[in-house]
Amino acid sequence: MRESRDALPHPVLASGVFFGRPTVERRVGATVLSLRQADPYRIIERHSHEDAHFVFVLDGRYVSSARGMPLSPTRPLLVYNPPGTTHRDHFAGNRGVHSGAFFTLSVAPTHGSNTWERTLGEDHARALLHPAAIGLAHALVRECETWDDVSGLAVEEISQALQEHAEAVPNTVDRS
């Protein structure tokens, strides 16, 4: 089922805000990186985010109702969600327990380099499965985990490369 922006009201999460428990969070200007654990007992309601963001699944089976997402996602899975993408997402689990780990990269809508948000489409998520995109996501996870004096510059460079990769890859999955 495709989610619509015009359906009933839903929460809009601020930049860098996600469901789940953060284990590590870093900020570089308007960019927010976060390693998170899924809340094993919470049912995630329909929502959207004010910012564009990437979700990189590290553990578990991630399912999203966002337009453009595959019905049976594979791993590794890197997802790009444009600002305002309305969806319900969760980690599929056994007997009511939904375990999973994920990494997020958010850039606030006011960030000057976000012209790429407009070129990617306003309401379609993208599953980025190319090894180059997955490699960039792994590099961001490593920076987040091993933060030092040059991590901020590295994050800016890697984030830009990831954004350019997302822009270059067409989204061919549609649940219409």
Side-chain angles (χ1 to χ4, degrees), residues 54-165:
F54 291 87
V55 175
F56 184 41
V57 178
L58 302 172
D59 185 41
R61 200 180 71 163
Y62 177 80
V63 178
S64 173
S65 68
R67 288 179 60 178
M69 284 296 297
L71 292 173
S72 299
T74 60
R75 288 221 19 246
L77 177 62
L78 174 62
V79 176
Y80 165 75
N81 284 307
T85 301
T86 301
H87 61 283
R88 287 184 69 165
D89 55 354
H90 69 280
F91 284 85
N94 292 328
R95 300 179 186 180
V97 177
H98 308 279
S99 64
F102 58 106
F103 169 81
T104 60
L105 171 69
S106 300
V107 182
T110 57
H111 194 269
S113 67
N114 266 1
T115 57
W116 60 276
E117 289 177 355
R118 291 187 295 276
T119 65
L120 288 173
E122 293 185 7
D123 65 353
H124 281 78
R126 285 175 192 236
L128 303 174
L129 306 175
H130 192 278
I134 300 299
L136 292 168
H138 276 296
L140 287 168
V141 169
R142 280 191 301 278
E143 284 300 329
C144 191
E145 292 175 326
T146 61
W147 201 258
D148 62 23
D149 293 343
V150 296
S151 290
L153 291 174
V155 164
E156 287 180 6
E157 183 176 308
I158 298 166
S159 297
Q160 183 62 38
L162 183 59
Q163 292 167 11
E164 289 169 5
H165 183 80

Side-chain angles (χ1 to χ4, degrees), residues 24-28 31-34 143-147:
V24 177
E25 188 169 283
R26 311 284 187 194
R27 293 181 181 269
V28 179
T31 303
V32 181
L33 301 89
S34 182
E143 284 300 329
C144 191
E145 292 175 326
T146 61
W147 201 258

